[in-house]
Amino acid sequence: MAEIQLAIEGEDAMPTAGYAYAATEALLAIPGISGNYAVNSDAPEREGVTATVATIVGIVGGAIAIAEQIRKWYQEYKAKQSGKRIEKVLIVGRNGRRLLLEDATLEEIRQILES
């Protein structure tokens, strides 16, 4: 299985002082997803905003169930009211197709996961 990548941008995205903020770790903690992440050194930094790239190397279970969990994860972190939050998440499928999660449907996310 080829890798699927998610670029996560925001105040709650980047590892700092030896630990990762909740957003990236929570994504990779979703049951059925295995992967890792790194700081995106290619992204231009704005004050207080950083980016990580999470790489999903394995998906166990149905793509629709994982799509639902990714959408739920995004909505929770996008709406976070207490302090830091993510600003933008871009998912890149194995075939290079890109999708912003902002207004993505479950079907669109599923298609990316399966492509």
Side-chain angles (χ1 to χ4, degrees):
M1 173 180 171
E3 299 172 343
I4 298 169
Q5 294 187 325
L6 285 94
I8 304 165
E9 185 177 292
E11 297 173 17
D12 205 12
M14 184 181 151
T16 298
Y19 66 94
Y21 281 101
T24 305
E25 284 189 341
L27 170 69
L28 294 175
I30 293 173
I33 292 180
S34 63
N36 53 54
Y37 66 92
V39 175
N40 185 358
S41 58
D42 295 334
E45 289 191 37
R46 298 188 318 257
E47 186 175 332
V49 177
T50 55
T52 60
V53 175
T55 302
I56 298 174
V57 295
I59 296 176
V60 177
I64 194 68
I66 299 298
E68 288 172 350
Q69 291 299 313
I70 290 173
R71 182 72 179 147
K72 180 180 175 186
W73 163 84
Y74 176 76
Q75 289 172 336
E76 287 175 2
Y77 280 92
K78 181 72 176 172
K80 207 169 191 184
Q81 299 299 316
S82 58
K84 300 174 182 176
R85 65 189 194 116
I86 58 175
E87 292 184 9
K88 178 172 59 173
V89 177
L90 175 71
I91 184 170
V92 181
R94 287 169 260 169
N95 63 359
R97 182 176 167 206
R98 297 169 178 258
L99 177 67
L100 279 173
L101 290 186
E102 179 70 32
D103 295 316
T105 65
L106 287 176
E107 180 62 20
E108 290 171 324
I109 297 169
R110 182 197 61 78
Q111 289 173 359
I112 289 278
L113 296 176
E114 290 181 339
S115 62

